[in-house]
Amino acid sequence: MSIKDWYLSQTPREQFIVASVGIVGVGALLYLFAIDPLIKGIAARETSVAAKQQDLVWMQQQKPTVAGNASVKQPITKAPYILLDEAIKKAKISTPERVTPDGSQGARAQFSKVEFNKLLEVLGGLDQTYGIAVKTINLSRKEAGQVSARLSLEVGQ
């Protein structure tokens, strides 16, 4: 006996119940496997777009700050490692273990312990004043506000 024969052999009331359960079941499956994932995907993408729009607004607000750092105000008359050493002494931060040249347009420095905020001020000042930017930096926290640092600087293009 086929499903169709079985269905037709039922009373009209039972046929209505079976058809209703079938329709509800198909509707539930359609919702679970098509509509609900679609709704959740749309909501996730809306959230993602909103976050990216906020990031874009923030970046546009920061544009003047970044653009202001792009221009070199003073010509470089000394080797970058000498300028780095002078900036460190001027800021009165702890003396690095090593300051060495890195080619003709770069410098390297290694600190065992230095105040993080002052180091950032020195590096930012070199970038703003001479266009000497950080190429690589490795930091390890020593204690509150103190880090060990190895960095490599390069004259920006």
Side-chain angles (χ1 to χ4, degrees):
M1 178 190 300
S2 70
I3 293 178
K4 181 179 179 184
D5 292 335
W6 173 83
Y7 179 75
L8 293 175
S9 69
Q10 303 299 313
T11 64
R13 180 174 182 241
E14 290 172 340
Q15 287 178 355
F16 175 76
I17 292 171
V18 169
S20 298
V21 169
I23 290 171
V24 168
V26 168
L29 290 174
L30 181 65
Y31 178 79
L32 287 174
F33 293 110
I35 296 171
D36 189 47
L38 182 64
I39 291 171
K40 288 180 180 175
I42 290 170
R45 283 179 179 70
E46 286 175 348
T47 303
S48 174
V49 167
K52 289 179 182 186
Q53 286 174 335
Q54 288 176 344
D55 290 346
L56 178 62
V57 168
W58 179 83
M59 285 186 222
Q60 288 172 337
Q61 290 171 346
Q62 301 306 316
K63 185 178 178 180
T65 304
V66 174
N69 292 343
S71 62
V72 176
K73 296 176 184 164
Q74 293 183 13
I76 298 177
T77 58
K78 300 177 184 175
Y81 76 96
I82 294 173
L83 293 172
L84 173 61
D85 191 47
E86 289 175 353
I88 290 168
K89 289 177 183 173
K90 184 177 177 184
K92 296 180 182 174
I93 61 176
S94 60
T95 306
E97 281 67 50
R98 202 176 344 195
V99 176
T100 59
D102 186 13
S104 63
Q105 296 294 307
R108 290 184 185 201
Q110 182 174 345
F111 295 87
S112 62
K113 189 175 180 183
V114 65
E115 189 175 334
F116 179 71
N117 290 342
K118 287 187 178 181
L119 177 63
L120 289 183
E121 289 174 10
V122 167
L123 298 175
L126 286 171
D127 190 21
Q128 287 179 343
T129 307
Y130 300 105
I132 300 173
V134 175
K135 184 170 128 183
T136 60
I137 188 166
N138 294 319
L139 301 171
S140 299
R141 183 177 178 191
K142 290 294 185 184
E143 54 189 61
Q146 301 284 321
V147 295
S148 68
R150 286 185 313 158
L151 53 103
S152 176
L153 304 174
E154 187 174 74
V155 175
Q157 310 308 348

